Amino acid sequence: MQPRPVTAAPASPPSGFDFDVIVIGAGYGGFDAAKHGAEHGLKVAIVESRDMGGTCVNRGCVPSKALLAASGRVRELADAEHLKGFGIHAAPVRFERQKIADHAAQLVATIRTNLTKTLERAGATILRGKGRLDGPQRVAVREASGVERVYAAREVIIATGSDPFVPPGIETDGRTVFTSDEAINLEWLPRWITIIGSGYIGLEFADVYTALGCEVTMIEALDRVMPTFDPDIAKIAARHLIDGRDIDARSGVLASKITPGCPVKIELVDMATREPVETLEVDAVLVATGRVPVSKDLNLASVGVETNRGFIPVDDGLQVLTNGVPVPHLWAVGDVTGKMMLAHTAAAQGTVAIENILGHARRIDYRSIPAATFTHPEISSVGLSEADARELAAAEGFELGAVRSYFKANSKALAELESDGLLKLLFRKDTGEVLGAHIYGLHAADLIQEIANAVARRQGVRQLASEVHTHPTLSEVVEVAYKQAAASLATAVGA
């Protein structure tokens, strides 16, 4: 199919409008929407009151990966037993905290600058200020000076993202009790830090802090550590990422009250009974209990929209809904929709919203969007969880298949002395269609993309098993899983 030609930019938006599209929020969702719209001939404005790039660039994925890259090098060089296996004897490792922090800050500044220049080159107008709705097809922007200007737009896209969630009873001061927003600055290294939550944010920062010599206690309110991960993956990952690093991990306990200071006081209660368990005194606390949408100041009532726990309801094309009915000319993308709170999901949604505005019907296939946790080693997943896959199998009357492929049988992983890993592949036993995968191991975040592509194309394991993978590479872990799955299929046709 021939690529669609880029539409020439119109001289002006439709009569009575200042812009074809106004995007509120310049995170990855807003950025991709504004860029895609401008590149396809729409007159676009994007509104941002904070730093261009939103959470991911300034306070999330970008700086945290810089910290993980640096701390990962420290961990690798300090692992004498691992190096000894190669016949390498390294000197004691020294690092400079400030230079690690500077590395993250410089990366943020570079990407933020590049992102801003990209929007400007595409022809988008950047409006600095806090945006909110001012009725249908109208956006009010309050500038830092206090001046408020109202703009009319044929279409409005909300892309205001999310902020860290701080549960009731927890007081933050940004120094001794803080969220990931402050943690990425790495202003100091507490001798003993407690991390509240064992999701991907808590795990990644536990990876950073333990590599840099901090003692870590991890508190999880649910009945098991790493509750959002596949249980089999969580079991093997916890052995290495938590138990192997002497992290004191506690599940089924709730931090009912946290008071900043020196020391920080944490009151722990039993999650089920709410009976007191213990009071900890530590140097610092990182609150990593998830994120909440930024939507309360958008004046959604002016267009009759009600949120669900702060999330803006949207249909599959990203049009905002009220009582299940699309609101004309109003769209929402990214974390504020609550669909999948990932930067690449937001970016994809931004593009899809513009495509629908342009009249090219598009939908998001959330099942094929992968997720990754950038610990050492990494964790990744795509598609259905095993529990959801079993529900689907029961509902549709097919048998669920599940196979495991181990890194310990992979030549490349053995060469790296990094063979502690597992891939679980889920598939239909009637057609062979891949339903999902969960990986723990070296470069899991890269390996998952191959399976994500298969999920997106609804491919079957018989076809996939015949594809040739480079030897020796980690991708052969995926190849082995496909072949095991194909071999286990019933004789049904159509895989």
Side-chain angles (χ1 to χ4, degrees):
M1 186 173 66
Q2 293 297 317
R4 184 177 63 254
V6 175
T7 308
S12 62
S15 177
F17 293 110
D18 300 298
F19 298 95
D20 290 305
V21 179
I22 293 181
V23 183
I24 305 175
Y28 269 2
F31 166 77
D32 272 66
K35 177 175 177 287
H36 196 64
E39 288 176 343
H40 284 74
L42 300 176
K43 185 176 182 183
V44 177
I46 187 165
V47 183
E48 181 55 65
S49 61
R50 299 168 75 178
D51 293 320
M52 297 295 290
T55 293
C56 180
V57 171
N58 298 285
R59 302 172 296 280
C61 5
V62 168
S64 66
K65 298 315 161 285
L67 296 181
L68 282 159
S71 62
R73 297 293 190 279
V74 173
R75 183 184 300 284
E76 186 177 355
L77 292 170
D79 191 346
E81 284 301 310
H82 184 252
L83 293 174
K84 187 177 178 181
F86 293 109
I88 298 171
H89 302 277
V93 181
R94 296 172 55 249
F95 64 86
E96 297 178 53
R97 177 203 56 79
Q98 187 58 56
K99 288 191 175 180
I100 293 176
D102 290 345
H103 166 57
Q106 288 161 7
L107 179 63
V108 167
T110 298
I111 293 180
R112 185 168 58 219
T113 298
N114 292 345
L115 182 148
T116 304
K117 289 180 178 178
T118 297
L119 284 177
E120 291 171 342
R121 282 196 301 268
T125 300
I126 299 174
L127 303 175
R128 297 287 186 172
K130 189 169 185 178
R132 62 175 176 81
L133 300 177
D134 191 50
Q137 297 176 285
R138 290 166 63 87
V139 174
V141 180
R142 183 174 292 276
E143 300 170 0
S145 63
V147 173
E148 186 170 281
R149 305 180 193 277
V150 178
Y151 301 89
R154 181 168 57 87
E155 309 288 340
V156 176
I157 300 176
I158 298 170
T160 44
S162 64
D163 280 332
F165 171 61
V166 179
I170 297 179
E171 179 186 349
T172 62
D173 64 356
R175 175 67 179 174
T176 61
V177 181
F178 47 84
T179 69
S180 56
D181 278 4
E182 293 82 29
I184 52 93
N185 296 320
L186 202 68
E187 291 183 354
W188 66 302
L189 292 173
R191 184 186 60 83
W192 182 9
I193 184 168
T194 292
I195 298 176
I196 310 297
S198 61
Y200 76 95
I201 296 173
L203 287 174
E204 288 185 351
F205 276 103
D207 200 289
V208 170
Y209 283 122
T210 53
L212 300 182
C214 305
E215 183 178 348
V216 173
T217 295
M218 185 172 281
I219 304 297
E220 175 56 58
L222 298 181
D223 58 1
R224 69 178 177 91
V225 175
M226 301 176 62
T228 59
F229 297 86
D230 175 271
D232 292 322
I233 295 297
K235 184 176 180 180
I236 187 173
R239 282 205 305 263
H240 189 89
L241 301 177
I242 297 176
D243 303 338
R245 291 171 186 175
D246 201 25
I247 294 173
D248 179 17
R250 309 183 190 188
S251 59
V253 291
L254 175 72
S256 61
K257 184 177 181 181
I258 298 179
T259 307
C262 297
V264 179
K265 293 186 178 181
I266 309 170
E267 296 181 19
L268 299 177
V269 300
D270 184 274
M271 184 62 184
T273 66
R274 293 302 198 269
E275 292 294 320
V277 173
E278 185 181 1
T279 297
L280 296 179
E281 294 187 350
V282 299
D283 298 307
V285 171
L286 167 61
V287 183
T289 48
R291 301 184 66 83
V292 290
V294 177
S295 61
K296 67 177 182 178
D297 296 327
L298 286 172
N299 193 27
L300 291 165
S302 69
V303 290
V305 173
E306 293 184 2
T307 64
N308 179 12
R309 296 179 296 112
F311 293 109
I312 298 175
V314 293
D315 64 16
D316 290 340
L318 287 315
Q319 195 160 6
V320 173
L321 300 173
T322 179
N323 297 320
V325 178
V327 178
H329 313 293
L330 186 61
W331 313 76
V333 303
D335 286 5
V336 77
T337 69
K339 294 294 185 180
M340 286 182 77
M341 298 174 78
L342 301 167
H344 47 283
T345 302
Q349 287 177 321
T351 299
V352 166
I354 291 294
E355 285 290 304
N356 285 311
I357 286 170
L358 290 167
H360 311 132
R362 283 275 305 277
R363 298 291 182 264
I364 288 279
D365 177 18
Y366 293 105
R367 186 188 290 186
S368 67
I369 297 177
T373 301
F374 294 87
T375 46
H376 296 87
E378 297 166 344
I379 308 170
S380 62
S381 64
V382 71
L384 300 179
S385 67
E386 185 167 0
D388 288 342
R390 291 198 182 282
E391 284 186 15
L392 182 67
E396 297 189 3
F398 65 84
E399 185 180 354
L400 177 67
V403 296
R404 301 182 184 196
S405 178
Y406 293 90
F407 282 59
K408 64 185 177 184
N410 179 268
S411 298
K412 187 66 161 59
L414 290 167
E416 298 280 352
L417 299 180
E418 293 279 1
S419 60
D420 186 19
L422 167 68
L423 182 159
K424 179 196 282 187
L425 184 74
L426 305 171
F427 59 97
R428 295 178 62 123
K429 276 204 167 183
D430 54 354
T431 66
E433 180 188 336
V434 176
L435 298 177
H438 304 266
I439 309 176
Y440 163 76
L442 190 64
H443 298 305
D446 297 307
L447 293 175
I448 201 65
Q449 190 61 53
E450 177 181 351
I451 305 174
N453 294 342
V455 172
R457 296 171 186 134
R458 301 300 192 258
Q459 289 178 298
V461 293
R462 281 203 182 104
Q463 173 191 354
L464 294 164
S466 66
E467 295 179 348
V468 179
H469 291 68
T470 310
H471 175 77
T473 65
L474 294 169
S475 71
E476 292 173 290
V477 172
V478 179
E479 179 184 15
V480 168
Y482 285 156
K483 287 182 175 177
Q484 288 178 342
S488 73
L489 287 184
T491 56
V493 296

